Amino acid sequence: MSARHMVEAMTDQARAAESDIPGKPTSASRTTLSHIMTHNDTNLLGTVHGGVIMKLVDDAAGAVAGRHSGGPAVTASMDEMAFLEPVRVGDLVHVNAQVNWTGRTSMEIGVRVLAERWNESAPATQVGSAYLVFTAVDADGRPRTVPPVLPETDRDRRRYQEAQIRRTHRLARRRAIRELREQRAAEGFDD
């Protein structure tokens, strides 16, 4: 293990030690959801409707969030959904999801969508990706604390760092929009 990786591992361990809840490794909640696309899934162009893929993404991410947090979790936001290739009837779609980052009550789930022909042996190709933020909730729907995620591999550590960047941008965007709205309200605009 390199010195850099040792420092990152110690940082992850320190963060986990600060939490009241023991951390969980990335692999503990990673999951894959697979589904064969049928004519019921198509749009007017004859390819699979983006909303069908988005539902599969949300379902897989929700399963990961629930596994990681040890209970119910709700979708707070979808940061990005990229459709890279069309999905067709007869494609076997695999939705791979994992926790990339955790806060006190929220988790970023990274999702990769792959498709392959159900009756061919060609390798699956990536057709989409997404980042979703989930909030763990208690029985009354109030946010509850989640275990820290413990990245295990270099890829997991990269995803964790990238998730922190996305979080910083999300918060800055939200703050800038709130400030603009407050400024416009102070100027008498009723949007």
Side-chain angles (χ1 to χ4, degrees):
M1 182 181 273
S2 73
R4 187 187 90 214
H5 293 132
M6 288 176 66
V7 169
E8 290 172 352
M10 290 185 323
T11 302
D12 293 339
Q13 291 169 355
R15 201 173 62 74
E18 292 172 3
S19 173
D20 295 338
I21 303 172
K24 286 186 177 180
T26 305
S27 61
S29 57
R30 189 177 288 140
T31 194
T32 298
L33 174 68
S34 297
H35 186 77
I36 294 178
M37 298 292 114
T38 67
H39 288 288
N40 292 335
D41 301 317
T42 60
N43 59 26
L44 296 175
L45 299 175
T47 56
V48 172
H49 195 285
V52 171
I53 300 299
M54 290 175 77
K55 182 179 183 331
L56 293 173
V57 163
D58 191 47
D59 288 347
V64 168
R67 281 181 172 184
H68 183 82
S69 68
V74 296
T75 310
S77 70
M78 180 179 279
D79 257 9
E80 183 178 321
M81 178 74 215
F83 296 100
L84 306 173
E85 297 285 335
V87 177
R88 302 170 295 159
V89 169
D91 281 353
L92 177 57
V93 172
H94 307 285
V95 183
N96 302 321
Q98 75 170 48
V99 176
N100 288 338
W101 174 89
T102 54
R104 192 176 62 76
T105 63
S106 63
M107 303 157 274
E108 183 196 89
I109 312 299
V111 181
R112 213 167 154 231
V113 184
L114 306 167
E116 62 180 302
R117 295 306 293 167
W118 70 274
N119 60 348
E120 296 175 8
S121 60
T125 59
Q126 185 172 356
V127 296
S129 64
Y131 300 102
L132 297 89
V133 177
F134 277 76
T135 301
V137 294
D138 64 17
D140 296 320
R142 289 187 300 262
R144 62 183 174 79
T145 306
V146 300
V149 66
L150 303 174
E152 300 171 281
T153 67
D154 285 340
R155 180 179 285 174
D156 292 341
R157 283 184 278 282
R158 175 187 54 79
R159 288 177 175 166
Y160 184 90
Q161 291 168 336
E162 290 173 356
Q164 288 178 304
I165 292 168
R166 281 186 293 274
R167 180 175 188 273
T168 299
H169 286 266
R170 253 192 325 274
L171 295 174
R173 183 178 61 235
R174 188 179 305 149
R175 186 173 40 256
I177 290 170
R178 185 182 64 244
E179 289 170 0
L180 176 63
R181 288 180 179 174
E182 289 170 356
Q183 176 187 346
R184 288 185 54 82
E187 293 171 356
F189 293 100
D190 186 23
D191 297 318

